Amino acid sequence: MKWKLNKNKPLTPQIFEQVCTMIALGELKPNERIFSVRDAALTAGVNPNTVQRAFENLEQKGIIYSVRGSGNYVSEDISKAKETLDGIIYQKTKEFFEDMSAISLSAEQTKQYVKEWEE
């Protein structure tokens, strides 16, 4: 697992999003045991409590489940991970367009910049 964390932003939501993405994209399979809190914290360079909070949020959403003494596993139904990821993408896209609007760029101008950046 390779983490892409921005240390200038809250870490727990970033870890939540990245694990959710791994599941939604099939990098982690249903009922597969995922990395431990300690391993994730070591590789990400964060406090284990940060990872634990992200895992708790994932469990509350039904994206992962824990087995006492065994670890955390991907839920059988990954549709919740996919729905959550769709929501994250929607929110980030909305925020991006709002930020561009705040600097007086129209949606069309923003789309043009995105198209140029993509090329």
Side-chain angles (χ1 to χ4, degrees):
M1 118 200 71
K2 186 171 182 173
W3 300 101
K4 298 173 187 169
L5 300 176
N6 179 341
K7 302 288 181 165
N8 297 319
K9 293 184 177 183
L11 297 170
T12 298
Q14 292 180 73
I15 293 168
F16 173 95
E17 289 173 5
Q18 289 182 33
V19 174
C20 185
T21 300
M22 288 182 231
I23 294 168
L25 297 179
E27 295 172 23
L28 296 171
K29 307 289 185 211
N31 297 314
E32 178 180 343
R33 185 174 187 272
I34 64 173
F35 30 83
S36 70
V37 168
R38 185 174 11 170
D39 287 345
L42 283 171
T43 59
V46 300
N47 186 300
N49 292 330
T50 302
V51 176
Q52 183 61 41
R53 282 191 302 274
F55 281 17
E56 287 170 359
N57 292 340
L58 288 160
E59 189 169 8
Q60 287 172 353
K61 292 260 188 200
I63 296 169
I64 66 171
Y65 64 93
S66 63
V67 176
R68 189 177 187 129
S70 179
N72 294 295
Y73 295 81
V74 176
S75 292
E76 178 73 31
D77 180 7
I78 64 165
S79 67
K80 291 180 182 171
K82 290 179 179 180
E83 289 170 16
T84 302
L85 180 59
D86 284 346
I88 291 166
I89 292 168
Y90 175 84
Q91 186 60 38
K92 287 180 180 281
T93 303
K94 180 179 179 239
E95 290 170 8
F96 172 73
F97 275 90
E98 287 171 351
D99 288 347
M100 295 303 102
S101 178
I103 60 171
S104 300
L105 284 181
S106 69
E108 287 307 313
Q109 289 170 311
T110 301
K111 290 175 189 176
Q112 184 59 40
Y113 278 108
V114 169
K115 186 176 181 180
E116 290 173 12
W117 177 79
E118 190 178 40
E119 295 168 356

